[in-house]
Amino acid sequence: MVMKGKKGVVLGIANKKSIAYGIAKACHAQGAEMAITFLNDRFKRKLAPIAEDLECGSRFYPCDVTKPEEIKALRESLKRDMGEIDFIVHSIAFAPKSGLSGRFIDIPKDAFNIAMDISVYSLIEITRELKPILSKNSSILTLTYLGGVKYVPNYNLMGVAKSALDMSVRYLAEDLGKDGIRVNAISAGPIKTLAAAGIGDFSFLLKWNTAHAPLKRNVTIEEVGNSGMYLLSDLSSAVTGEVHYVDAGFNIMGLPAVNFDEKGRATIAWNGTD
Ligand code: NAP
């Protein structure tokens, strides 16, 4: 039981397909005691069975990260019900549709600000507000994507947000390292979730990854969950500021995979046209 005795909070479970649910399940299976959050009353009802599965009891709190007062209230609820906590999972992102397809140059300013606020600043604010109740040797984990490092079709605005999130992880890691607090990110391969459905032609990314990742497949929330659990546990006690890829190896590829004909000439194995 790697997480026995660990207490933490998981933000970003929308349903059983959420990456945060995969991480929460892995932590629960390894003995962690957990709180989860919901965005509003509509999601509270939907998430109630998940809170029960994860044995959260009454540790089930509202938190819309655009509302600073809800983040502060979350800290007070956690303090009251759990005392100190040992881990935080930040698995939250949002960008308006206008930022997730079409030409990058056309991204509206209000869409840009919303995406940066919810997908990036929320990590900084949650870390700062919850820091007073973080134990020594605690661990914070967020979720990022390759589209913050390299061009990915339609990822557009979220690419810029993920890039800023990756750097936030590094600055937070340095800042909090002296307090024994670690901050890491997992860069997950594409997974069909609610958030992913907002990205233009997302099914293309899934097919491209399957065709060209070294493992020739996509990843599951259980696989991301296990890697996340490792980063939240003491097994990763010397790891901080890291972006850890859980993507079936796709990020190492410089060119698409090829087949060779009888003369040894390379032909593209799959060019995305079906
Ligand atoms: P998801 O299930 O839709 O989770 C996204 C979560 O963000 C939802 O729980 C959503 O809550 C929450 N959220 C949005 N706005 C919020 C706000 N104002 N306050 C609080 N929570 C808010 O999708 P997911 O794919 O698991 O996404 C989780 C993380 O993984 C995101 O950072 C995403 O960018 C990252 N990621 C995803 C993939 C992928 O292919 N799926 C790959 C790499 C990284 P509501 O649903 O209640 O609005």
Side-chain angles (χ1 to χ4, degrees):
M1 291 287 219
V2 173
M3 297 294 282
K4 187 110 192 110
K6 296 272 187 200
K7 294 181 282 183
V9 60
V10 179
L11 297 99
I13 302 180
N15 54 41
K16 288 195 170 182
K17 292 183 173 164
S18 296
I19 293 176
Y21 181 60
I23 298 170
K25 266 198 310 181
C27 291
H28 178 253
Q30 288 297 325
E33 190 181 305
M34 243 172 307
I36 67 170
T37 64
F38 55 88
L39 188 63
N40 54 39
D41 283 344
R42 191 161 68 85
F43 286 97
K44 184 179 185 181
R45 277 191 300 279
K46 275 177 56 182
L47 286 186
I50 290 183
E52 211 174 299
D53 278 3
L54 296 169
E55 298 181 281
C56 294
S58 60
R59 300 181 303 272
F60 183 37
Y61 316 110
C63 189
D64 177 340
V65 296
T66 63
K67 298 179 178 156
E69 67 280 8
E70 290 199 5
I71 299 179
K72 285 186 169 59
L74 174 66
R75 178 190 60 223
E76 294 310 307
S77 303
L78 289 167
K79 191 156 76 176
R80 182 193 62 221
D81 298 342
M82 301 177 92
E84 280 196 328
I85 60 170
D86 308 292
F87 66 89
I88 302 172
V89 178
H90 170 277
S91 187
I92 288 171
F94 177 79
K97 277 239 177 219
S98 54
L100 296 172
S101 62
R103 293 193 62 185
F104 183 81
I105 197 171
D106 293 327
I107 290 171
K109 189 169 182 173
D110 57 344
F112 187 92
N113 290 341
I114 290 170
M116 295 299 276
D117 182 26
I118 297 180
S119 314
V120 186
Y121 190 71
S122 64
L123 175 69
I124 302 167
E125 192 169 6
I126 286 164
T127 301
R128 185 178 60 243
E129 294 301 333
L130 268 50
K131 187 173 171 293
I133 59 163
L134 283 176
S135 67
K136 193 132 179 83
N137 302 322
S138 53
S139 176
I140 299 170
L141 177 68
T142 189
L143 273 298
T144 187
Y145 179 58
L146 181 68
V149 181
K150 302 262 168 72
Y151 167 80
V152 170
N154 290 324
Y155 205 61
N156 297 10
L157 173 53
M158 196 48 85
V160 177
K162 290 305 189 194
S163 201
L165 183 73
D166 294 356
M167 273 322 293
S168 303
V169 164
R170 297 181 185 109
Y171 277 98
L172 285 171
E174 201 292 324
D175 212 0
L176 302 187
K178 51 183 92 57
D179 303 312
I181 299 166
R182 298 183 294 110
V183 188
N184 291 290
I186 282 183
S187 182
I191 302 176
K192 210 170 166 184
T193 60
L194 260 189
I199 300 160
D201 203 5
F202 184 75
S203 58
F204 175 86
L205 295 187
L206 289 170
K207 282 194 254 174
W208 187 266
N209 210 77
T210 306
H212 300 301
L215 295 180
K216 302 288 175 240
R217 64 174 178 82
N218 284 303
V219 300
T220 65
I221 62 163
E222 285 74 21
E223 290 172 317
V224 178
N226 286 334
S227 299
M229 189 271 295
Y230 152 75
L231 285 170
L232 296 170
S233 78
D234 292 340
L235 291 176
S236 59
S237 55
V239 181
T240 195
E242 199 62 40
V243 175
H244 177 60
Y245 284 89
V246 182
D247 65 347
F250 182 78
N251 73 94
I252 67 157
M253 302 299 287
L255 281 179
V258 292
N259 290 328
F260 293 99
D261 66 15
E262 62 291 348
K263 291 194 172 138
R265 287 176 303 213
T267 54
I268 249 186
W270 183 72
N271 64 11
T273 55
D274 251 344

